[in-house]
Amino acid sequence: MPSAIDPKRCNRPLLIGHRGYPARFPENTLAGFEGAIRAGCDMVELDVTLTRDRRLVVIHDDTLERTTNGKGRVRAHTLAEIRRLDAGSWFDARFAGQRVPELWKVMALTAGRCRVNIEIKTSAFDAHDPSDAVERQVVRLVKTSGAMDRVIISSFDRRILERIAAMDAPPPIAFISDQPADPNLLHQLLALKAFSWHPKFTVLTRDQVDRMHASGLKVFPWTINTAEEAQKTLALEVDGLICNELELLQAH
Ligand code: G3P
Ligand code: MG
């Protein structure tokens, strides 16, 4: 059965907002995800990690300094502490008061409006595999929020993807890489029953895209910043673009 995230249902490559709409809104905030939806994206990409009290929060870095007014590691703070931080002012004073969102809030905001690519950060991986391991919490939330048909769970960390692949009826998963496809990659993706491969666009070739497609895998490269990059990458016949600026595809 085709997945609802299958680009064939859109008749064009998917437009995916990287961390929301970071060219115009503070990344990984509800304002950014709302802005991405209003700009017409098909899917938003976001980054998930754990707080000290093991709650799922949406933030890219391991540390708070770059995108909030907090200090230190995300992992060293409780959810209550992180909720108090300002995650918008660093970008523009107009966004003062934006918070680091919990993942469930983004799932609620996007419900019925767009798909979500949930990237699980290696910083949240727990070798002991507790019942509240990051990937278990994410999959539980996806299932309880009825979002199985509009989500991809992605990671640079194969251990996280292996854990999800071993679950009963897992959501679609994707491996992210910043390296060209090595000879083992396709084999590993097939072993994971992955839905897609998310390569850095600068290392991608048409041959790699063709080989992925021949094995039934989709290809969603990141992170496209300019119209020229978008055109060159679309010429490789990819299934979508993970973009910082969402007006790049208007001409297509
Ligand atoms: O999902 C692709 C992309 O987000 C991976 O890199 O560092 O922006 O999370 P990063
Ligand atoms: Mg990411």
Side-chain angles (χ1 to χ4, degrees):
M1 195 171 77
S3 162
I5 54 176
D6 190 330
K8 281 192 187 125
R9 291 194 174 184
C10 296
N11 289 324
R12 59 175 169 77
L14 297 183
L15 177 61
I16 305 168
H18 181 235
R19 311 180 194 170
Y21 193 167
R24 303 191 187 199
F25 298 85
E27 67 182 55
N28 284 324
T29 60
L30 294 183
F33 298 121
E34 180 67 35
I37 293 168
R38 291 187 184 187
C41 78
D42 302 296
M43 177 185 284
V44 289
E45 186 264 1
L46 55 80
D47 306 287
V48 163
T49 193
L50 289 176
T51 61
R52 191 172 93 209
D53 46 349
R54 303 186 66 78
R55 304 293 292 270
L56 298 171
V57 285
V58 178
I59 184 168
H60 178 271
D61 297 1
D62 296 351
T63 50
L64 295 163
E65 281 82 350
R66 184 178 63 84
T67 59
T68 77
N69 60 346
K71 284 189 172 49
R73 294 177 72 80
V74 176
R75 201 57 194 264
H77 295 77
T78 63
L79 176 63
E81 289 165 344
I82 286 177
R83 262 191 193 148
R84 287 197 284 272
L85 301 176
D86 181 329
S89 295
W90 69 275
F91 187 84
D92 189 296
R94 286 181 298 132
F95 297 109
Q98 282 296 309
R99 304 292 169 200
V100 174
E102 289 176 78
L103 180 59
W104 72 263
K105 289 190 177 170
V106 184
M107 298 312 295
L109 178 81
T110 56
R113 302 175 76 198
C114 77
R115 305 158 174 95
V116 185
N117 169 3
I118 302 171
E119 180 188 343
I120 301 180
K121 288 300 188 192
T122 292
S123 53
F125 176 75
D126 192 326
H128 301 295
D129 193 16
S131 59
D132 64 351
V134 64
E135 64 279 357
R136 290 178 186 271
Q137 290 198 54
V138 169
V139 172
R140 266 200 297 273
L141 176 61
V142 167
K143 290 191 173 181
T144 56
S145 54
M148 282 288 279
D149 65 349
R150 64 179 187 96
V151 158
I152 302 176
I153 302 182
S154 62
S155 188
F156 281 98
D157 197 317
R158 242 170 254 182
R159 299 167 302 178
I160 289 171
L161 298 177
E162 282 164 5
R163 292 245 182 97
I164 298 174
M167 294 175 186
D168 275 345
I173 56 175
F175 181 60
I176 311 170
S177 57
D178 55 8
Q179 302 295 317
D182 66 46
N184 291 325
L185 178 69
L186 186 55
H187 173 70
Q188 287 163 345
L189 289 169
L190 292 173
L192 285 169
K193 296 194 171 69
F195 176 79
S196 51
W197 179 46
H198 299 186
K200 189 171 183 178
F201 81 96
T202 51
V203 303
L204 190 61
T205 63
R206 177 64 192 265
D207 178 57
Q208 290 169 355
V209 175
D210 288 348
R211 276 190 286 132
M212 293 293 161
H213 285 168
S215 293
L217 287 142
K218 306 293 181 196
V219 182
F220 298 111
W222 51 278
T223 304
I224 314 301
N225 278 304
T226 67
E228 192 189 354
E229 290 170 355
Q231 266 182 338
K232 278 189 181 159
T233 311
L234 287 172
L236 304 177
E237 298 286 332
V238 297
D239 302 290
L241 300 177
I242 302 178
C243 299
N244 286 336
E245 171 53 70
L246 296 177
E247 292 191 357
L248 297 176
L249 302 192
Q250 277 183 343
H252 295 275

